[in-house]
PDB file of all heavy atoms in Angstrom:
ATOM      1  N   TYR M  31     -16.995 -24.562 102.986  1.00 87.00           N
ATOM      2  CA  TYR M  31     -15.669 -23.970 103.101  1.00 87.00           C
ATOM      3  C   TYR M  31     -15.589 -22.641 102.355  1.00 87.00           C
ATOM      4  O   TYR M  31     -16.021 -22.533 101.211  1.00 87.00           O
ATOM      5  CB  TYR M  31     -14.634 -24.938 102.518  1.00 87.00           C
ATOM      6  CG  TYR M  31     -13.243 -24.374 102.435  1.00 87.00           C
ATOM      7  CD1 TYR M  31     -12.457 -24.252 103.569  1.00 87.00           C
ATOM      8  CD2 TYR M  31     -12.715 -23.957 101.219  1.00 87.00           C
ATOM      9  CE1 TYR M  31     -11.182 -23.726 103.501  1.00 87.00           C
ATOM     10  CE2 TYR M  31     -11.440 -23.432 101.140  1.00 87.00           C
ATOM     11  CZ  TYR M  31     -10.673 -23.324 102.284  1.00 87.00           C
ATOM     12  OH  TYR M  31      -9.411 -22.794 102.215  1.00 87.00           O
ATOM     13  N   TYR M  35      -7.808 -14.853 100.198  1.00 93.00           N
ATOM     14  CA  TYR M  35      -6.419 -14.821  99.782  1.00 93.00           C
ATOM     15  C   TYR M  35      -6.054 -13.403  99.378  1.00 93.00           C
ATOM     16  O   TYR M  35      -6.911 -12.648  98.921  1.00 93.00           O
ATOM     17  CB  TYR M  35      -6.185 -15.725  98.570  1.00 93.00           C
ATOM     18  CG  TYR M  35      -6.412 -17.200  98.825  1.00 93.00           C
ATOM     19  CD1 TYR M  35      -7.676 -17.758  98.720  1.00 93.00           C
ATOM     20  CD2 TYR M  35      -5.351 -18.036  99.156  1.00 93.00           C
ATOM     21  CE1 TYR M  35      -7.893 -19.102  98.946  1.00 93.00           C
ATOM     22  CE2 TYR M  35      -5.551 -19.392  99.377  1.00 93.00           C
ATOM     23  CZ  TYR M  35      -6.820 -19.907  99.273  1.00 93.00           C
ATOM     24  OH  TYR M  35      -7.028 -21.251  99.496  1.00 93.00           O
ATOM     25  N   GLN M  37      -3.111 -11.453  96.855  1.00 93.00           N
ATOM     26  CA  GLN M  37      -2.132 -11.733  95.814  1.00 93.00           C
ATOM     27  C   GLN M  37      -1.305 -10.496  95.560  1.00 93.00           C
ATOM     28  O   GLN M  37      -1.838  -9.427  95.233  1.00 93.00           O
ATOM     29  CB  GLN M  37      -2.811 -12.186  94.517  1.00 93.00           C
ATOM     30  CG  GLN M  37      -1.836 -12.645  93.456  1.00 93.00           C
ATOM     31  CD  GLN M  37      -2.513 -13.356  92.324  1.00 93.00           C
ATOM     32  OE1 GLN M  37      -3.612 -13.005  91.914  1.00 93.00           O
ATOM     33  NE2 GLN M  37      -1.861 -14.387  91.803  1.00 93.00           N
ATOM     34  N   GLY M  40       4.946 -11.355  92.578  1.00 82.00           N
ATOM     35  CA  GLY M  40       6.089 -12.160  92.992  1.00 82.00           C
ATOM     36  C   GLY M  40       5.856 -13.040  94.196  1.00 82.00           C
ATOM     37  O   GLY M  40       6.723 -13.849  94.547  1.00 82.00           O
ATOM     38  N   GLY M  42       2.692 -14.763  94.734  1.00 83.00           N
ATOM     39  CA  GLY M  42       1.620 -15.735  94.530  1.00 83.00           C
ATOM     40  C   GLY M  42       0.404 -15.419  95.381  1.00 83.00           C
ATOM     41  O   GLY M  42       0.199 -14.284  95.814  1.00 83.00           O
ATOM     42  N   LEU M  43      -0.383 -16.430  95.652  1.00 87.00           N
ATOM     43  CA  LEU M  43      -1.596 -16.283  96.468  1.00 87.00           C
ATOM     44  C   LEU M  43      -1.296 -16.734  97.889  1.00 87.00           C
ATOM     45  O   LEU M  43      -0.837 -17.851  98.107  1.00 87.00           O
ATOM     46  CB  LEU M  43      -2.719 -17.143  95.899  1.00 87.00           C
ATOM     47  CG  LEU M  43      -3.457 -16.564  94.712  1.00 87.00           C
ATOM     48  CD1 LEU M  43      -3.977 -17.664  93.829  1.00 87.00           C
ATOM     49  CD2 LEU M  43      -4.613 -15.706  95.195  1.00 87.00           C
ATOM     50  N   TYR M  48      -9.542 -18.735 106.720  1.00 89.00           N
ATOM     51  CA  TYR M  48     -10.461 -19.657 106.107  1.00 89.00           C
ATOM     52  C   TYR M  48     -11.516 -20.084 107.125  1.00 89.00           C
ATOM     53  O   TYR M  48     -11.343 -19.909 108.334  1.00 89.00           O
ATOM     54  CB  TYR M  48      -9.753 -20.880 105.507  1.00 89.00           C
ATOM     55  CG  TYR M  48      -9.065 -21.787 106.490  1.00 89.00           C
ATOM     56  CD1 TYR M  48      -9.691 -22.927 106.975  1.00 89.00           C
ATOM     57  CD2 TYR M  48      -7.762 -21.521 106.897  1.00 89.00           C
ATOM     58  CE1 TYR M  48      -9.051 -23.772 107.861  1.00 89.00           C
ATOM     59  CE2 TYR M  48      -7.109 -22.361 107.784  1.00 89.00           C
ATOM     60  CZ  TYR M  48      -7.757 -23.488 108.254  1.00 89.00           C
ATOM     61  OH  TYR M  48      -7.113 -24.324 109.136  1.00 89.00           O
ATOM     62  N   MET M  50     -14.237 -23.384 107.887  1.00 85.00           N
ATOM     63  CA  MET M  50     -14.704 -24.713 107.521  1.00 85.00           C
ATOM     64  C   MET M  50     -16.224 -24.808 107.560  1.00 85.00           C
ATOM     65  O   MET M  50     -16.808 -25.690 106.930  1.00 85.00           O
ATOM     66  CB  MET M  50     -14.111 -25.754 108.467  1.00 85.00           C
ATOM     67  CG  MET M  50     -12.593 -25.774 108.482  1.00 85.00           C
ATOM     68  SD  MET M  50     -11.869 -26.392 106.954  1.00 85.00           S
ATOM     69  CE  MET M  50     -12.082 -28.146 107.211  1.00 85.00           C
ATOM     70  N   ASP M  59      -1.987 -18.029 106.372  1.00 85.00           N
ATOM     71  CA  ASP M  59      -0.571 -17.681 106.454  1.00 85.00           C
ATOM     72  C   ASP M  59      -0.312 -16.230 106.854  1.00 85.00           C
ATOM     73  O   ASP M  59       0.702 -15.923 107.475  1.00 85.00           O
ATOM     74  CB  ASP M  59       0.106 -17.933 105.097  1.00 85.00           C
ATOM     75  CG  ASP M  59       0.073 -19.393 104.718  1.00 85.00           C
ATOM     76  OD1 ASP M  59       0.215 -20.233 105.623  1.00 85.00           O
ATOM     77  OD2 ASP M  59      -0.098 -19.687 103.528  1.00 85.00           O
ATOM     78  N   PHE M  90      -8.827 -12.123  96.895  1.00 96.00           N
ATOM     79  CA  PHE M  90      -9.750 -13.103  96.318  1.00 96.00           C
ATOM     80  C   PHE M  90     -10.444 -13.872  97.428  1.00 96.00           C
ATOM     81  O   PHE M  90      -9.815 -14.322  98.379  1.00 96.00           O
ATOM     82  CB  PHE M  90      -9.019 -14.099  95.427  1.00 96.00           C
ATOM     83  CG  PHE M  90      -8.532 -13.533  94.135  1.00 96.00           C
ATOM     84  CD1 PHE M  90      -7.201 -13.191  93.976  1.00 96.00           C
ATOM     85  CD2 PHE M  90      -9.410 -13.341  93.078  1.00 96.00           C
ATOM     86  CE1 PHE M  90      -6.747 -12.672  92.791  1.00 96.00           C
ATOM     87  CE2 PHE M  90      -8.963 -12.824  91.880  1.00 96.00           C
ATOM     88  CZ  PHE M  90      -7.618 -12.485  91.740  1.00 96.00           C
ATOM     89  N   PRO M  95     -16.779 -27.157  98.554  1.00 81.00           N
ATOM     90  CA  PRO M  95     -17.537 -28.102  99.383  1.00 81.00           C
ATOM     91  C   PRO M  95     -16.659 -28.661 100.488  1.00 81.00           C
ATOM     92  O   PRO M  95     -15.441 -28.706 100.374  1.00 81.00           O
ATOM     93  CB  PRO M  95     -17.945 -29.198  98.393  1.00 81.00           C
ATOM     94  CG  PRO M  95     -16.922 -29.125  97.321  1.00 81.00           C
ATOM     95  CD  PRO M  95     -16.516 -27.683  97.223  1.00 81.00           C
ATOM     96  N   GLN M  97     -16.980 -30.884 104.614  1.00 56.00           N
ATOM     97  CA  GLN M  97     -17.682 -31.857 105.435  1.00 56.00           C
ATOM     98  C   GLN M  97     -17.731 -33.222 104.775  1.00 56.00           C
ATOM     99  O   GLN M  97     -18.781 -33.805 104.552  1.00 56.00           O
ATOM    100  CB  GLN M  97     -19.108 -31.364 105.735  1.00 56.00           C
ATOM    101  CG  GLN M  97     -19.145 -30.100 106.562  1.00 56.00           C
ATOM    102  CD  GLN M  97     -18.523 -30.263 107.935  1.00 56.00           C
ATOM    103  OE1 GLN M  97     -18.672 -31.302 108.566  1.00 56.00           O
ATOM    104  NE2 GLN M  97     -17.808 -29.260 108.402  1.00 56.00           N
ATOM    105  N   GLY M  98     -16.543 -33.724 104.424  1.00 52.00           N
ATOM    106  CA  GLY M  98     -16.460 -35.062 103.875  1.00 52.00           C
ATOM    107  C   GLY M  98     -16.570 -35.125 102.366  1.00 52.00           C
ATOM    108  O   GLY M  98     -16.417 -36.184 101.777  1.00 52.00           O
ATOM    109  N   PHE M 100     -14.593 -33.903  99.631  1.00 55.00           N
ATOM    110  CA  PHE M 100     -13.381 -33.217  99.192  1.00 55.00           C
ATOM    111  C   PHE M 100     -13.179 -33.403  97.709  1.00 55.00           C
ATOM    112  O   PHE M 100     -12.949 -34.490  97.217  1.00 55.00           O
ATOM    113  CB  PHE M 100     -12.163 -33.764  99.931  1.00 55.00           C
ATOM    114  CG  PHE M 100     -10.885 -33.078  99.526  1.00 55.00           C
ATOM    115  CD1 PHE M 100     -10.595 -31.807  99.992  1.00 55.00           C
ATOM    116  CD2 PHE M 100      -9.999 -33.686  98.673  1.00 55.00           C
ATOM    117  CE1 PHE M 100      -9.419 -31.161  99.623  1.00 55.00           C
ATOM    118  CE2 PHE M 100      -8.828 -33.052  98.290  1.00 55.00           C
ATOM    119  CZ  PHE M 100      -8.532 -31.792  98.771  1.00 55.00           C
ATOM    120  N   THR M 101     -13.236 -32.310  96.963  1.00 60.00           N
ATOM    121  CA  THR M 101     -12.966 -32.377  95.534  1.00 60.00           C
ATOM    122  C   THR M 101     -11.716 -31.590  95.177  1.00 60.00           C
ATOM    123  O   THR M 101     -11.169 -31.753  94.105  1.00 60.00           O
ATOM    124  CB  THR M 101     -14.139 -31.789  94.731  1.00 60.00           C
ATOM    125  OG1 THR M 101     -14.229 -30.392  94.987  1.00 60.00           O
ATOM    126  CG2 THR M 101     -15.444 -32.467  95.087  1.00 60.00           C
ATOM    127  N   GLY M 102     -11.254 -30.741  96.063  1.00 67.00           N
ATOM    128  CA  GLY M 102     -10.101 -29.901  95.763  1.00 67.00           C
ATOM    129  C   GLY M 102     -10.443 -28.734  94.885  1.00 67.00           C
ATOM    130  O   GLY M 102      -9.602 -27.891  94.604  1.00 67.00           O
ATOM    131  N   GLU M 103     -11.669 -28.659  94.426  1.00 80.00           N
ATOM    132  CA  GLU M 103     -12.029 -27.580  93.516  1.00 80.00           C
ATOM    133  C   GLU M 103     -12.571 -26.410  94.309  1.00 80.00           C
ATOM    134  O   GLU M 103     -13.628 -26.495  94.939  1.00 80.00           O
ATOM    135  CB  GLU M 103     -13.068 -28.043  92.512  1.00 80.00           C
ATOM    136  CG  GLU M 103     -13.440 -26.970  91.498  1.00 80.00           C
ATOM    137  CD  GLU M 103     -14.304 -27.487  90.387  1.00 80.00           C
ATOM    138  OE1 GLU M 103     -14.700 -28.670  90.449  1.00 80.00           O
ATOM    139  OE2 GLU M 103     -14.589 -26.721  89.453  1.00 80.00           O
ATOM    140  N   LEU M 104     -11.843 -25.318  94.247  1.00 86.00           N
ATOM    141  CA  LEU M 104     -12.283 -24.071  94.850  1.00 86.00           C
ATOM    142  C   LEU M 104     -12.837 -23.163  93.768  1.00 86.00           C
ATOM    143  O   LEU M 104     -12.332 -23.138  92.645  1.00 86.00           O
ATOM    144  CB  LEU M 104     -11.122 -23.370  95.557  1.00 86.00           C
ATOM    145  CG  LEU M 104     -10.490 -24.092  96.739  1.00 86.00           C
ATOM    146  CD1 LEU M 104      -9.320 -23.290  97.284  1.00 86.00           C
ATOM    147  CD2 LEU M 104     -11.514 -24.333  97.832  1.00 86.00           C
ATOM    148  N   PHE M 106     -13.512 -19.290  92.813  1.00 93.00           N
ATOM    149  CA  PHE M 106     -13.000 -17.984  93.195  1.00 93.00           C
ATOM    150  C   PHE M 106     -13.896 -16.853  92.709  1.00 93.00           C
ATOM    151  O   PHE M 106     -14.517 -16.941  91.649  1.00 93.00           O
ATOM    152  CB  PHE M 106     -11.597 -17.775  92.618  1.00 93.00           C
ATOM    153  CG  PHE M 106     -10.525 -18.472  93.395  1.00 93.00           C
ATOM    154  CD1 PHE M 106     -10.290 -19.824  93.199  1.00 93.00           C
ATOM    155  CD2 PHE M 106      -9.748 -17.788  94.316  1.00 93.00           C
ATOM    156  CE1 PHE M 106      -9.309 -20.483  93.924  1.00 93.00           C
ATOM    157  CE2 PHE M 106      -8.767 -18.429  95.036  1.00 93.00           C
ATOM    158  CZ  PHE M 106      -8.537 -19.780  94.844  1.00 93.00           C
ATOM    159  N   GLY M 107     -13.906 -15.775  93.484  1.00 96.00           N
ATOM    160  CA  GLY M 107     -14.541 -14.550  93.044  1.00 96.00           C
ATOM    161  C   GLY M 107     -13.643 -13.831  92.044  1.00 96.00           C
ATOM    162  O   GLY M 107     -12.532 -14.274  91.742  1.00 96.00           O
TER     163      GLY M 107
ATOM    164  N   TYR D  32      -4.064 -34.711  98.337  1.00 85.00           N
ATOM    165  CA  TYR D  32      -4.326 -34.742  96.906  1.00 85.00           C
ATOM    166  C   TYR D  32      -3.438 -33.704  96.221  1.00 85.00           C
ATOM    167  O   TYR D  32      -2.898 -32.808  96.851  1.00 85.00           O
ATOM    168  CB  TYR D  32      -5.793 -34.397  96.628  1.00 85.00           C
ATOM    169  CG  TYR D  32      -6.760 -35.496  96.967  1.00 85.00           C
ATOM    170  CD1 TYR D  32      -7.089 -35.784  98.292  1.00 85.00           C
ATOM    171  CD2 TYR D  32      -7.358 -36.249  95.964  1.00 85.00           C
ATOM    172  CE1 TYR D  32      -7.978 -36.793  98.607  1.00 85.00           C
ATOM    173  CE2 TYR D  32      -8.254 -37.253  96.273  1.00 85.00           C
ATOM    174  CZ  TYR D  32      -8.548 -37.521  97.586  1.00 85.00           C
ATOM    175  OH  TYR D  32      -9.430 -38.514  97.885  1.00 85.00           O
ATOM    176  N   THR D  34      -3.487 -30.876  93.207  1.00 89.00           N
ATOM    177  CA  THR D  34      -4.465 -30.111  92.438  1.00 89.00           C
ATOM    178  C   THR D  34      -3.754 -29.012  91.666  1.00 89.00           C
ATOM    179  O   THR D  34      -2.816 -28.399  92.169  1.00 89.00           O
ATOM    180  CB  THR D  34      -5.506 -29.479  93.386  1.00 89.00           C
ATOM    181  OG1 THR D  34      -5.991 -30.460  94.306  1.00 89.00           O
ATOM    182  CG2 THR D  34      -6.676 -28.911  92.596  1.00 89.00           C
ATOM    183  N   TYR D  36      -4.250 -25.409  89.320  1.00 94.00           N
ATOM    184  CA  TYR D  36      -5.121 -24.295  88.965  1.00 94.00           C
ATOM    185  C   TYR D  36      -4.457 -23.451  87.881  1.00 94.00           C
ATOM    186  O   TYR D  36      -3.230 -23.418  87.755  1.00 94.00           O
ATOM    187  CB  TYR D  36      -5.393 -23.402  90.184  1.00 94.00           C
ATOM    188  CG  TYR D  36      -6.430 -23.944  91.133  1.00 94.00           C
ATOM    189  CD1 TYR D  36      -6.124 -24.950  92.034  1.00 94.00           C
ATOM    190  CD2 TYR D  36      -7.733 -23.454  91.110  1.00 94.00           C
ATOM    191  CE1 TYR D  36      -7.083 -25.459  92.886  1.00 94.00           C
ATOM    192  CE2 TYR D  36      -8.691 -23.955  91.975  1.00 94.00           C
ATOM    193  CZ  TYR D  36      -8.350 -24.954  92.844  1.00 94.00           C
ATOM    194  OH  TYR D  36      -9.308 -25.463  93.689  1.00 94.00           O
ATOM    195  N   GLN D  38      -4.520 -19.412  86.283  1.00 95.00           N
ATOM    196  CA  GLN D  38      -4.966 -18.053  86.561  1.00 95.00           C
ATOM    197  C   GLN D  38      -4.560 -17.107  85.448  1.00 95.00           C
ATOM    198  O   GLN D  38      -3.375 -17.015  85.102  1.00 95.00           O
ATOM    199  CB  GLN D  38      -4.406 -17.545  87.888  1.00 95.00           C
ATOM    200  CG  GLN D  38      -4.958 -16.183  88.289  1.00 95.00           C
ATOM    201  CD  GLN D  38      -4.389 -15.639  89.576  1.00 95.00           C
ATOM    202  OE1 GLN D  38      -3.286 -15.977  89.974  1.00 95.00           O
ATOM    203  NE2 GLN D  38      -5.146 -14.776  90.245  1.00 95.00           N
ATOM    204  N   GLN D  42      -7.862 -12.173  87.227  1.00 90.00           N
ATOM    205  CA  GLN D  42      -8.973 -13.093  87.444  1.00 90.00           C
ATOM    206  C   GLN D  42      -8.618 -14.054  88.574  1.00 90.00           C
ATOM    207  O   GLN D  42      -7.444 -14.275  88.864  1.00 90.00           O
ATOM    208  CB  GLN D  42      -9.285 -13.900  86.182  1.00 90.00           C
ATOM    209  CG  GLN D  42      -9.822 -13.097  85.037  1.00 90.00           C
ATOM    210  CD  GLN D  42     -10.232 -13.988  83.875  1.00 90.00           C
ATOM    211  OE1 GLN D  42     -10.500 -15.182  84.050  1.00 90.00           O
ATOM    212  NE2 GLN D  42     -10.265 -13.418  82.689  1.00 90.00           N
ATOM    213  N   GLY D  43      -9.634 -14.633  89.186  1.00 92.00           N
ATOM    214  CA  GLY D  43      -9.387 -15.643  90.192  1.00 92.00           C
ATOM    215  C   GLY D  43      -8.903 -16.940  89.552  1.00 92.00           C
ATOM    216  O   GLY D  43      -9.207 -17.219  88.394  1.00 92.00           O
ATOM    217  N   PRO D  44      -8.133 -17.735  90.295  1.00 93.00           N
ATOM    218  CA  PRO D  44      -7.682 -19.026  89.764  1.00 93.00           C
ATOM    219  C   PRO D  44      -8.863 -19.922  89.407  1.00 93.00           C
ATOM    220  O   PRO D  44      -9.939 -19.829  90.000  1.00 93.00           O
ATOM    221  CB  PRO D  44      -6.887 -19.616  90.932  1.00 93.00           C
ATOM    222  CG  PRO D  44      -6.463 -18.450  91.735  1.00 93.00           C
ATOM    223  CD  PRO D  44      -7.579 -17.466  91.619  1.00 93.00           C
ATOM    224  N   PHE D  46      -9.871 -24.040  88.654  1.00 91.00           N
ATOM    225  CA  PHE D  46      -9.499 -25.444  88.798  1.00 91.00           C
ATOM    226  C   PHE D  46      -9.286 -26.088  87.426  1.00 91.00           C
ATOM    227  O   PHE D  46     -10.080 -25.919  86.514  1.00 91.00           O
ATOM    228  CB  PHE D  46     -10.623 -26.167  89.546  1.00 91.00           C
ATOM    229  CG  PHE D  46     -10.477 -27.650  89.662  1.00 91.00           C
ATOM    230  CD1 PHE D  46      -9.784 -28.199  90.725  1.00 91.00           C
ATOM    231  CD2 PHE D  46     -11.046 -28.507  88.731  1.00 91.00           C
ATOM    232  CE1 PHE D  46      -9.674 -29.571  90.861  1.00 91.00           C
ATOM    233  CE2 PHE D  46     -10.935 -29.871  88.852  1.00 91.00           C
ATOM    234  CZ  PHE D  46     -10.247 -30.413  89.925  1.00 91.00           C
ATOM    235  N   GLN D  49      -7.228 -32.613  89.199  1.00 90.00           N
ATOM    236  CA  GLN D  49      -6.795 -33.108  90.502  1.00 90.00           C
ATOM    237  C   GLN D  49      -6.550 -34.608  90.420  1.00 90.00           C
ATOM    238  O   GLN D  49      -7.236 -35.314  89.678  1.00 90.00           O
ATOM    239  CB  GLN D  49      -7.858 -32.841  91.560  1.00 90.00           C
ATOM    240  CG  GLN D  49      -7.478 -33.303  92.957  1.00 90.00           C
ATOM    241  CD  GLN D  49      -8.664 -33.252  93.891  1.00 90.00           C
ATOM    242  OE1 GLN D  49      -9.601 -34.031  93.779  1.00 90.00           O
ATOM    243  NE2 GLN D  49      -8.624 -32.314  94.798  1.00 90.00           N
ATOM    244  N   TYR D  87      -0.686 -23.093  88.984  1.00 94.00           N
ATOM    245  CA  TYR D  87      -0.331 -23.390  90.368  1.00 94.00           C
ATOM    246  C   TYR D  87      -0.504 -24.870  90.666  1.00 94.00           C
ATOM    247  O   TYR D  87      -1.527 -25.470  90.314  1.00 94.00           O
ATOM    248  CB  TYR D  87      -1.230 -22.610  91.332  1.00 94.00           C
ATOM    249  CG  TYR D  87      -1.056 -21.120  91.311  1.00 94.00           C
ATOM    250  CD1 TYR D  87      -1.860 -20.326  90.501  1.00 94.00           C
ATOM    251  CD2 TYR D  87      -0.090 -20.499  92.097  1.00 94.00           C
ATOM    252  CE1 TYR D  87      -1.711 -18.945  90.487  1.00 94.00           C
ATOM    253  CE2 TYR D  87       0.063 -19.123  92.085  1.00 94.00           C
ATOM    254  CZ  TYR D  87      -0.750 -18.357  91.268  1.00 94.00           C
ATOM    255  OH  TYR D  87      -0.598 -16.992  91.260  1.00 94.00           O
ATOM    256  N   GLY D  92      -4.967 -31.898 102.025  1.00 63.00           N
ATOM    257  CA  GLY D  92      -5.789 -33.021 102.433  1.00 63.00           C
ATOM    258  C   GLY D  92      -7.251 -32.661 102.516  1.00 63.00           C
ATOM    259  O   GLY D  92      -7.649 -31.531 102.277  1.00 63.00           O
ATOM    260  N   PRO D  93      -8.037 -33.612 102.830  1.00 54.00           N
ATOM    261  CA  PRO D  93      -9.488 -33.395 102.902  1.00 54.00           C
ATOM    262  C   PRO D  93      -9.840 -32.336 103.930  1.00 54.00           C
ATOM    263  O   PRO D  93      -9.301 -32.299 105.009  1.00 54.00           O
ATOM    264  CB  PRO D  93     -10.015 -34.769 103.320  1.00 54.00           C
ATOM    265  CG  PRO D  93      -8.956 -35.721 102.919  1.00 54.00           C
ATOM    266  CD  PRO D  93      -7.670 -34.976 103.096  1.00 54.00           C
ATOM    267  N   TYR D  94     -10.768 -31.491 103.584  1.00 52.00           N
ATOM    268  CA  TYR D  94     -11.184 -30.447 104.502  1.00 52.00           C
ATOM    269  C   TYR D  94     -11.769 -31.040 105.769  1.00 52.00           C
ATOM    270  O   TYR D  94     -11.537 -30.570 106.848  1.00 52.00           O
ATOM    271  CB  TYR D  94     -12.264 -29.553 103.879  1.00 52.00           C
ATOM    272  CG  TYR D  94     -11.920 -28.943 102.554  1.00 52.00           C
ATOM    273  CD1 TYR D  94     -12.914 -28.701 101.633  1.00 52.00           C
ATOM    274  CD2 TYR D  94     -10.616 -28.604 102.220  1.00 52.00           C
ATOM    275  CE1 TYR D  94     -12.632 -28.125 100.417  1.00 52.00           C
ATOM    276  CE2 TYR D  94     -10.330 -28.037 100.999  1.00 52.00           C
ATOM    277  CZ  TYR D  94     -11.341 -27.795 100.098  1.00 52.00           C
ATOM    278  OH  TYR D  94     -11.064 -27.234  98.894  1.00 52.00           O
ATOM    279  N   ALA D  95     -12.540 -32.074 105.594  1.00 44.00           N
ATOM    280  CA  ALA D  95     -13.326 -32.575 106.712  1.00 44.00           C
ATOM    281  C   ALA D  95     -12.458 -33.155 107.809  1.00 44.00           C
ATOM    282  O   ALA D  95     -12.871 -33.222 108.958  1.00 44.00           O
ATOM    283  CB  ALA D  95     -14.320 -33.625 106.227  1.00 44.00           C
ATOM    284  N   PRO D 100      -6.445 -26.601 104.573  1.00 57.00           N
ATOM    285  CA  PRO D 100      -6.778 -26.733 103.154  1.00 57.00           C
ATOM    286  C   PRO D 100      -5.657 -26.278 102.229  1.00 57.00           C
ATOM    287  O   PRO D 100      -4.605 -25.869 102.659  1.00 57.00           O
ATOM    288  CB  PRO D 100      -8.014 -25.842 103.017  1.00 57.00           C
ATOM    289  CG  PRO D 100      -8.594 -25.780 104.374  1.00 57.00           C
ATOM    290  CD  PRO D 100      -7.401 -25.779 105.286  1.00 57.00           C
ATOM    291  N   LEU D 101      -5.944 -26.331 100.959  1.00 64.00           N
ATOM    292  CA  LEU D 101      -4.962 -26.101  99.917  1.00 64.00           C
ATOM    293  C   LEU D 101      -4.238 -24.772 100.083  1.00 64.00           C
ATOM    294  O   LEU D 101      -4.845 -23.748 100.348  1.00 64.00           O
ATOM    295  CB  LEU D 101      -5.649 -26.141  98.561  1.00 64.00           C
ATOM    296  CG  LEU D 101      -6.430 -27.424  98.271  1.00 64.00           C
ATOM    297  CD1 LEU D 101      -7.147 -27.308  96.957  1.00 64.00           C
ATOM    298  CD2 LEU D 101      -5.512 -28.620  98.299  1.00 64.00           C
ATOM    299  N   VAL D 102      -2.920 -24.802  99.896  1.00 69.00           N
ATOM    300  CA  VAL D 102      -2.084 -23.615 100.007  1.00 69.00           C
ATOM    301  C   VAL D 102      -1.419 -23.363  98.661  1.00 69.00           C
ATOM    302  O   VAL D 102      -0.767 -24.252  98.109  1.00 69.00           O
ATOM    303  CB  VAL D 102      -1.024 -23.786 101.105  1.00 69.00           C
ATOM    304  CG1 VAL D 102      -0.110 -22.567 101.152  1.00 69.00           C
ATOM    305  CG2 VAL D 102      -1.688 -23.990 102.458  1.00 69.00           C
ATOM    306  N   PHE D 103      -1.582 -22.166  98.152  1.00 76.00           N
ATOM    307  CA  PHE D 103      -0.995 -21.807  96.869  1.00 76.00           C
ATOM    308  C   PHE D 103       0.451 -21.374  97.040  1.00 76.00           C
ATOM    309  O   PHE D 103       0.810 -20.762  98.025  1.00 76.00           O
ATOM    310  CB  PHE D 103      -1.779 -20.667  96.233  1.00 76.00           C
ATOM    311  CG  PHE D 103      -3.117 -21.067  95.697  1.00 76.00           C
ATOM    312  CD1 PHE D 103      -4.195 -21.239  96.551  1.00 76.00           C
ATOM    313  CD2 PHE D 103      -3.308 -21.252  94.336  1.00 76.00           C
ATOM    314  CE1 PHE D 103      -5.430 -21.606  96.058  1.00 76.00           C
ATOM    315  CE2 PHE D 103      -4.548 -21.609  93.843  1.00 76.00           C
ATOM    316  CZ  PHE D 103      -5.610 -21.791  94.695  1.00 76.00           C
ATOM    317  N   GLY D 104       1.270 -21.674  96.014  1.00 76.00           N
ATOM    318  CA  GLY D 104       2.638 -21.171  95.974  1.00 76.00           C
ATOM    319  C   GLY D 104       2.732 -20.035  94.984  1.00 76.00           C
ATOM    320  O   GLY D 104       1.759 -19.314  94.759  1.00 76.00           O
ATOM    321  N   LYS D 105       3.881 -19.877  94.382  1.00 83.00           N
ATOM    322  CA  LYS D 105       4.082 -18.747  93.471  1.00 83.00           C
ATOM    323  C   LYS D 105       3.712 -19.077  92.035  1.00 83.00           C
ATOM    324  O   LYS D 105       3.605 -18.188  91.210  1.00 83.00           O
ATOM    325  CB  LYS D 105       5.533 -18.282  93.550  1.00 83.00           C
ATOM    326  CG  LYS D 105       5.914 -17.770  94.932  1.00 83.00           C
ATOM    327  CD  LYS D 105       7.345 -17.269  94.969  1.00 83.00           C
ATOM    328  CE  LYS D 105       7.678 -16.779  96.381  1.00 83.00           C
ATOM    329  NZ  LYS D 105       9.069 -16.280  96.470  1.00 83.00           N
TER     330      LYS D 105
END
Side-chain angles (χ1 to χ4, degrees):
Chain M
Y31 173 76
Y35 295 86
Q37 187 168 37
L43 280 151
Y48 65 96
M50 302 291 281
D59 297 323
F90 289 102
Q97 296 298 322
F100 181 76
T101 67
E103 182 171 5
L104 297 178
F106 281 81
Chain D
Y32 286 75
T34 312
Y36 281 78
Q38 186 182 26
Q42 293 186 22
F46 174 88
Q49 181 191 70
Y87 293 93
Y94 306 149
L101 304 176
V102 177
F103 287 78
K105 297 182 180 180

